[in-house]
Amino acid sequence: MLCDKCKKNEAKVYYTEIINGEKKEQHFCEECALEYTSFSMGSGMLSQEMTLGSLLSSILGNYASPGNLHGTEQTEKEPVCKACGMTYSEFLKEGRFGCAECYDSFKKGLEKSLRNIQGSDTHTGKRPKGFESGTEKLVKELPEIDKLSIKLQDAIEKEEFEEAARLRDRIRQLKKEEINNA
């Protein structure tokens, strides 16, 4: 596949941006990727093996400046891990923490960076296949009438009155059968 920008070289970088919910995929050669993408890559970085740490370091480095980690001006000192002495700048350079305490030490800076990158610091993505939440497991174990009652309430809240009427009638039918079988 050829580079989307220069249309000459082979595309080696696949770049996806999601801005305001709109997904834009682009394919670049190394040279065009260095010019176009929003994260700074050192010279020759694309020809090297990219690790998760180097990628994280590159991305976070663009969204946080050490003096602005807490949303304050440059007068505040850079955060330092009390346990291992690593600074946030060192973390950005290395792409990995020095110890487990670094997570707590740099929490505010990381949360701010994640909000800037993703728009949120809470994961709301997809779930693995076959995953069931605790609520879903409980609902599965409920008697049929209770399941239908939950669906009825949901249909009423969504103002799906035809579906609500159908569910109401089914619940009445099951209750009659229950009384007749008792």
Side-chain angles (χ1 to χ4, degrees):
M1 174 181 288
L2 290 179
C3 173
D4 290 341
K5 189 172 182 186
C6 71
K7 310 263 190 249
K8 295 176 186 174
N9 301 322
E10 184 181 343
K12 293 185 179 180
V13 176
Y14 302 98
Y15 184 72
T16 304
E17 283 183 324
I18 301 175
I19 300 172
N20 296 327
E22 221 172 288
K23 185 176 180 180
K24 181 180 175 184
E25 291 185 10
Q26 296 176 317
H27 308 91
F28 298 115
C29 63
E30 291 181 16
E31 293 80 26
C32 293
L34 287 171
E35 292 173 23
Y36 182 79
T37 59
S38 62
F39 38 85
S40 58
M41 297 183 191
S43 64
M45 184 174 175
L46 292 175
S47 59
Q48 298 173 10
E49 184 179 330
M50 184 174 281
T51 64
L52 182 58
S54 65
L55 180 63
L56 179 64
S57 168
S58 175
I59 293 170
L60 287 175
N62 287 309
Y63 287 94
S65 59
N68 197 22
L69 295 175
H70 299 291
T72 62
E73 295 189 18
Q74 293 283 359
T75 56
E76 190 173 319
K77 286 186 178 180
E78 177 179 12
V80 177
C81 177
K82 292 176 181 91
C84 71
M86 178 178 256
T87 64
Y88 194 74
S89 296
E90 290 172 331
F91 159 66
L92 291 176
K93 184 178 175 186
E94 296 291 321
R96 57 183 165 176
F97 291 127
C99 70
E101 293 297 317
C102 288
Y103 290 97
D104 290 329
S105 299
F106 306 134
K107 184 176 181 176
K108 288 182 181 180
L110 289 171
E111 287 175 349
K112 183 178 181 199
S113 296
L114 288 173
R115 277 192 303 274
N116 288 336
I117 294 167
Q118 300 183 160
S120 173
D121 58 2
T122 305
H123 177 70
T124 56
K126 297 179 180 179
R127 300 183 302 181
K129 278 188 177 179
F131 176 81
E132 278 186 329
S133 69
T135 306
E136 290 168 332
K137 288 177 185 174
L138 287 173
V139 168
K140 226 180 203 183
E141 296 171 3
L142 289 174
E144 185 68 20
I145 291 177
D146 292 341
K147 288 180 193 176
L148 291 173
S149 295
I150 292 169
K151 288 181 182 180
L152 173 63
Q153 185 62 38
D154 187 49
I156 292 169
E157 287 174 11
K158 292 179 180 176
E159 297 182 5
E160 296 171 350
F161 299 117
E162 290 178 14
E163 176 67 8
R166 188 189 69 72
L167 290 166
R168 177 203 61 207
D169 294 342
R170 178 70 180 134
I171 291 169
R172 285 181 181 165
Q173 179 185 1
L174 287 174
K175 285 183 179 179
K176 281 182 184 176
E177 288 174 9
E178 223 176 64
I179 292 170
N180 291 337
N181 291 335

